[in-house]
Amino acid sequence: MSSTGRVTQACARCRKQKLKCDALRPCLLCVRAGVECEARFIPPKARSDRASPARRRRSTAHTNRAGAHQTSLLSSSSSTTSIPSFPQPSASPNAQVPAACGQHQSPRGERQDAPDQSPNESQQFGANTSVIGFAKNVFRHNDLASPSITSTIPGDPGVFRRSTSRWTLHRMIMPPPTVMHTLLEAYFDRVHWFIYLFHQQSFMTRADALLSGSPWTRQDMPAIMTMLTASAMALKCILNDPEWAGHSVLATYALDARSLLADFIGEIRIHLIDLLDDSQIETVQVCILLGTYYIYHGSPSLAWSILGMAVRTAYALALHCEDPEDHPQIALQVRHRTWNHVTVADTFSAMIYGRPAGLDAEFAQVQPLSEMDDTVVTLEVTTTDEPDNLISTLSRLPFHVLKYRLYTITRRALDTFRLLRLRDPLSSEDQQALISAVSHIESLLGAWQKEVPPHLSWDDWQNVDPNGPFPAKLHDLTHVGESQTRIFYLQAMVLQVTYDSTLILIHRPLLEHKMAAGATLSSSQNFVSRSLEVAVDAALRISRVPMAKFNHHLSLSFAFMHFFTAGVILCIPPARQPFSSLAQEAKAGIMRIILTCRDLGSSSQIARHIDQLLTALLRITVLREMDNALQNQRAGVVSAEQGNAATASFNSDAPPCQVVDDRPSLNDQASLYSNQSYSTSVPSRLAASLATNLTGEGDAEFSFDLGGVHDNPGIEFDTQLDEAFGTFGQMMFNVQPDDPYTPWNWGSRSR
């Protein structure tokens, strides 16, 4: 049968709007839009080029070669190259500005409805052809006119919303443009440097146009929802910040910040299903921000599902695939930024929830970033002797590039440990496989650490006042503005906390699992001891991070998540090495974390919850430390030759031992410790001995033989401590005490 009306290229309108055109004229999209479907003329040479996939791939490779050096940071190999110098901005401030979040626009500025927003969905690698796509291929291969269907499966009614259809908010009135502009500026100050999704100038330009224009159409809904979500994130950061100038702006319009936040979140939830139905890049961005909001400030179970929707929508938009042809530079970078954070959010949620990641490991590669007008750091001239055209070698990109690669390493660790299928206790084969995996991932972290530039290195920042003079290594920051210097300081802390948390993550399995009897190798014992040392050192570094610098930023909640991990790790040394110098340092680290959580509890409910968890855990840890120390002391005093008789005499002659034998169970010790009744019942001589071990002063009559405690395999962790450490991922998952569906509030769910 001969072909009837079948064409070989998209029509002029679909090509211009980056839409997937039908194989018949007139195409369905033009029919729906009520415009003439005009054929697009392609010169013979151009048609030949476009018909050659090999030539197109070579052209794409040539275009991307300039940025290939940047992607070396993003690979999972153990490269030791230094941070590359990024090219100058490829988009000027006067460049054509797309819609707020990278969507396509018509020449009149109206966004066109497109049932299929993925220009290269047909090129998705590793995916099967859709049901409708399979049918179209069959028709084409048999030289038949393929069906004019834009759906991917049968049954799609193809509901079309005309661009002229009116749309408005359902449960709130949009605040005045001045208020919204102030909130969005707060978002780019408090959130954007940490979560890299938008192009600031184009986002603000589109937002101002929507806020000043009326009425809205249905096609404006995704961009408006993105604005509301960004504003909600900003409001959550500044609620308790008395120094934020925007409070006066809200007061001018008689707006309450908390009520406004509730209105924003409620409105977003109403339209979330419509956003998912639209399946545009704004859908991914809203799901990322809303899922992040619920991780830190709402329901963890809801956060898990919403972040999963971001992953699914990103797949549907083929953000992981080769870039669309002739895509505007700004829109292209927005696609890359959005996809890259999808990989970060997916890895982070898999790590804290203890569940499999949503992204396929083979497709979870980050997209390359390029210098833009919003990534170059502007230098400030401080004296008249300095030239006005100082060229900055600093960029905002290295932080994000390094963060993406660090999460790539974390994802590799998660995937590796999951595939090992470790049993408890570990057999000799399990031990060797685990040690090999930990060593390899640790080498990747070492290579990553060597690539951190001075202005993002915590070693160079930790003793520096960000508002004071800088050391020689940071001389490049002498002409950088105070606000950008503060951002570099925060980014350096984020990288260090993330690095140390990854170290703890990869060494956790060796600390969580017991060794099978008779299967423990001497090399494994040494590696386990080293794992504890590495994890404790990393936890101590985290405990010293000045968390107050993160206050009123989104990153505060992120850092507190890792503070909790560090606190749990630091509870191990006191139980294993009672009253040793390491145990004392670990307890001091836990106290720093608890006190920091109390200081910032008004800004973060995560901090308040961590305070409750670690305070109870520290009490149990201290009691268990004393229990282990006394057991070891008794083993040293009572010789094997004395046997049971000596033991009976030891229990009957001395009051101090009676206190030990009559001590309440471990389940009751925490409450006794909190009431200080147990500590006051300890005789004065034993108390003096404990003080001697704590301070290193006084006599040594009751000094403990710590050498026998250091690596004694017979001393186990306290039951509560072992459970807390083994399931602390679930504790982080249920880190919100206000969530009525967490175990912490099961007793109060009826209220």
Side-chain angles (χ1 to χ4, degrees):
M1 181 177 180
S2 61
S3 176
T4 57
R6 184 169 178 266
V7 294
T8 58
Q9 71 265 350
C11 69
R13 175 180 175 275
C14 288
R15 175 59 177 167
K16 188 174 184 178
Q17 300 303 326
K18 304 295 189 300
L19 306 178
K20 180 172 288 187
C21 190
D22 293 334
L24 295 174
R25 295 284 184 272
C27 73
L28 183 61
L29 296 180
C30 289
V31 172
R32 288 177 173 177
V35 298
E36 182 180 359
C37 186
E38 300 177 353
R40 179 167 56 94
F41 173 74
I42 301 178
K45 182 176 180 180
R47 184 180 295 111
S48 176
D49 288 343
R50 293 180 55 80
S52 172
R55 184 176 303 176
R56 183 166 61 250
R57 286 194 296 269
R58 289 195 299 268
S59 176
T60 302
H62 176 75
T63 302
N64 294 335
R65 189 172 296 124
H69 58 280
Q70 179 186 346
T71 62
S72 63
L73 289 175
L74 308 177
S75 65
S76 58
S77 63
S78 56
S79 172
T80 58
T81 56
S82 60
I83 288 290
S85 59
F86 295 92
Q88 291 301 312
S90 57
S92 65
N94 297 324
Q96 181 181 359
V97 178
C101 308
Q103 66 268 31
H104 305 299
Q105 285 182 291
S106 69
R108 296 175 298 172
E110 297 180 358
R111 214 174 53 74
Q112 302 297 312
D113 182 83
D116 186 356
Q117 286 290 321
S118 174
N120 52 0
E121 183 175 307
S122 61
Q123 300 173 10
Q124 289 189 29
F125 48 87
N128 295 323
T129 306
S130 67
V131 176
I132 297 295
F134 168 73
K136 288 183 176 182
N137 287 337
V138 171
F139 273 72
R140 291 186 184 120
H141 291 163
N142 290 276
D143 199 23
L144 301 174
S146 62
S148 299
I149 304 176
T150 58
S151 174
T152 54
I153 61 173
D156 184 358
V159 177
F160 176 73
R161 303 177 181 91
R162 296 186 179 276
S163 60
T164 57
S165 60
R166 299 283 292 270
W167 182 86
T168 184
L169 299 175
H170 286 14
R171 58 170 290 173
M172 62 171 289
I173 299 175
M174 180 67 75
T178 302
V179 173
M180 292 300 297
H181 191 86
T182 303
L183 291 176
L184 292 176
E185 285 183 338
Y187 170 86
F188 283 102
D189 180 51
R190 310 296 178 98
V191 180
H192 180 64
W193 66 265
F194 181 61
I195 294 182
Y196 208 46
L197 293 178
F198 308 114
H199 178 263
Q200 182 172 354
Q201 182 182 357
S202 62
F203 186 98
M204 296 299 294
T205 300
R206 174 66 169 164
D208 290 341
L210 288 172
L211 292 170
S212 59
S214 62
W216 294 322
T217 65
R218 173 60 177 77
Q219 280 65 43
D220 294 324
M221 186 269 289
I224 293 174
M225 288 299 103
T226 309
M227 286 192 305
L228 293 184
T229 311
S231 300
M233 298 293 287
L235 273 172
K236 191 62 180 180
C237 292
I238 54 83
L239 277 180
N240 301 301
D241 185 3
E243 298 181 0
W244 183 59
H247 286 302
S248 60
V249 178
L250 295 178
T252 301
Y253 295 95
L255 293 174
D256 177 70
R258 295 187 184 276
S259 299
L260 191 58
L261 173 60
D263 289 341
F264 284 164
I265 296 298
E267 190 71 32
I268 296 164
R269 291 173 64 119
I270 289 175
H271 300 284
L272 185 59
I273 299 299
D274 288 336
L275 274 173
L276 294 172
D277 190 25
D278 288 353
S279 190
Q280 299 175 12
I281 195 168
E282 294 95 338
T283 308
V284 184
Q285 294 164 338
V286 168
C287 287
I288 286 175
L289 293 178
L290 190 61
T292 302
Y293 174 88
Y294 279 122
I295 280 182
Y296 297 139
H297 309 298
S299 167
S301 58
L302 186 58
W304 171 262
S305 299
I306 292 177
L307 289 175
M309 291 189 291
V311 171
R312 284 284 185 141
T313 308
Y315 268 146
L317 295 175
L319 298 184
H320 62 297
C321 293
E322 185 178 323
D323 299 328
E325 299 175 3
D326 302 331
H327 217 56
Q329 177 69 5
I330 292 178
L332 184 63
Q333 285 300 301
V334 169
R335 285 173 57 90
H336 288 188
R337 295 176 185 185
T338 302
W339 170 257
N340 289 348
H341 194 75
V342 167
T343 65
V344 169
D346 186 54
T347 304
F348 180 72
S349 60
M351 179 175 65
I352 66 172
Y353 287 87
R355 298 172 179 173
L359 287 174
D360 191 319
E362 295 298 327
F363 300 154
Q365 305 301 319
V366 297
Q367 296 281 19
L369 298 179
S370 300
E371 281 286 6
M372 302 283 289
D373 57 314
D374 65 338
T375 59
V376 174
V377 177
T378 303
L379 298 182
E380 295 183 352
V381 178
T382 57
T383 66
T384 57
D385 297 333
E386 295 171 333
D388 295 336
N389 57 347
L390 288 175
I391 299 178
S392 174
T393 59
L394 295 173
S395 169
R396 297 179 179 91
L397 284 185
F399 165 74
H400 300 286
V401 173
L402 288 166
K403 185 178 74 170
Y404 297 150
R405 185 188 169 194
L406 193 53
Y407 275 96
T408 300
I409 298 174
T410 301
R411 177 179 288 272
R412 172 169 292 191
L414 293 172
D415 293 340
T416 301
F417 294 155
R418 186 169 292 111
L419 292 176
L420 287 178
R421 300 184 181 276
L422 299 175
R423 293 159 293 182
D424 202 2
L426 295 177
S427 64
S428 299
E429 294 76 12
D430 290 339
Q431 294 176 41
Q432 292 301 321
L434 182 57
I435 290 174
S436 177
V438 171
S439 299
H440 174 65
I441 298 171
E442 195 171 14
S443 68
L444 298 180
L445 288 175
W448 176 92
Q449 193 175 35
K450 295 177 181 178
E451 297 175 347
V452 180
H455 72 280
L456 293 176
S457 173
W458 182 239
D459 292 338
D460 296 316
W461 273 111
Q462 57 183 341
N463 297 320
V464 176
D465 181 359
N467 299 318
F470 304 108
K473 275 194 173 184
L474 299 178
H475 69 278
D476 288 340
L477 299 181
T478 54
H479 295 292
V480 176
E482 180 180 351
S483 61
Q484 183 57 55
T485 300
R486 174 172 52 87
I487 295 302
F488 281 146
Y489 180 77
L490 296 176
Q491 289 177 339
M493 286 195 291
V494 166
L495 288 179
Q496 184 63 42
V497 169
T498 309
Y499 168 82
D500 284 327
S501 297
T502 306
L503 270 181
I504 293 174
L505 172 70
I506 66 175
H507 286 281
R508 263 175 47 194
L510 285 167
L511 304 179
E512 289 180 287
H513 292 79
K514 297 179 175 63
M515 304 298 176
T520 303
L521 306 177
S522 58
S523 58
S524 300
Q525 291 178 332
N526 295 335
F527 203 92
V528 170
S529 299
R530 180 182 172 278
S531 289
L532 178 61
E533 179 183 350
V534 171
V536 170
D537 287 344
L540 287 172
R541 286 194 297 270
I542 292 176
S543 72
R544 297 188 182 99
V545 170
M547 293 287 287
K549 299 292 185 180
F550 288 118
N551 201 12
H552 310 306
H553 285 258
L554 175 65
S555 53
L556 177 68
S557 299
F558 164 83
F560 269 131
M561 285 285 199
H562 296 301
F563 246 42
F564 175 71
T565 307
V568 174
I569 289 292
L570 292 177
C571 288
I572 299 176
R576 292 199 57 178
Q577 305 174 25
F579 300 106
S580 64
S581 59
L582 179 61
Q584 300 306 105
E585 193 174 2
K587 287 183 289 187
I590 301 173
M591 287 300 301
R592 281 195 298 270
I593 293 175
I594 292 175
L595 293 176
T596 299
C597 290
R598 293 182 179 179
D599 290 342
L600 299 177
S602 61
S603 299
S604 172
Q605 71 181 53
I606 292 181
R608 297 192 296 271
H609 194 202
I610 292 175
D611 178 13
Q612 299 171 11
L613 292 173
L614 290 186
T615 298
L617 202 55
L618 178 60
R619 289 170 177 166
I620 297 173
T621 299
V622 172
L623 291 172
R624 189 56 174 169
E625 178 184 34
M626 181 179 293
D627 182 41
N628 286 347
L630 291 175
Q631 288 182 14
N632 186 75
Q633 180 69 9
R634 174 182 295 181
V637 172
V638 180
S639 63
E641 291 77 9
Q642 290 177 311
N644 294 332
T647 303
S649 175
F650 187 86
N651 289 334
S652 60
D653 294 342
C657 296
Q658 182 179 0
V659 174
V660 175
D661 289 340
D662 295 338
R663 187 180 57 215
S665 64
L666 289 174
N667 292 330
D668 300 325
Q669 285 181 9
S671 60
L672 290 173
Y673 182 87
S674 61
N675 295 328
Q676 297 184 349
S677 58
Y678 176 68
S679 59
T680 55
S681 66
V682 179
S684 58
R685 292 179 64 201
L686 182 56
S689 175
L690 296 178
T692 300
N693 283 276
L694 292 174
T695 63
E697 299 176 356
D699 59 52
E701 183 177 355
F702 275 81
S703 62
F704 296 110
D705 180 15
L706 296 178
V709 180
H710 186 81
D711 287 316
N712 189 343
I715 297 180
E716 300 291 344
F717 296 149
D718 179 79
T719 302
Q720 293 95 328
L721 176 58
D722 189 45
E723 291 177 354
F725 179 58
T727 61
F728 84 96
Q730 297 179 12
M731 295 171 72
M732 293 180 70
F733 167 62
N734 293 310
V735 78
Q736 306 297 338
D738 297 334
D739 182 7
Y741 296 101
T742 57
W744 314 107
N745 284 331
W746 282 350
S748 60
R749 287 176 62 177
S750 60
R751 291 198 297 268

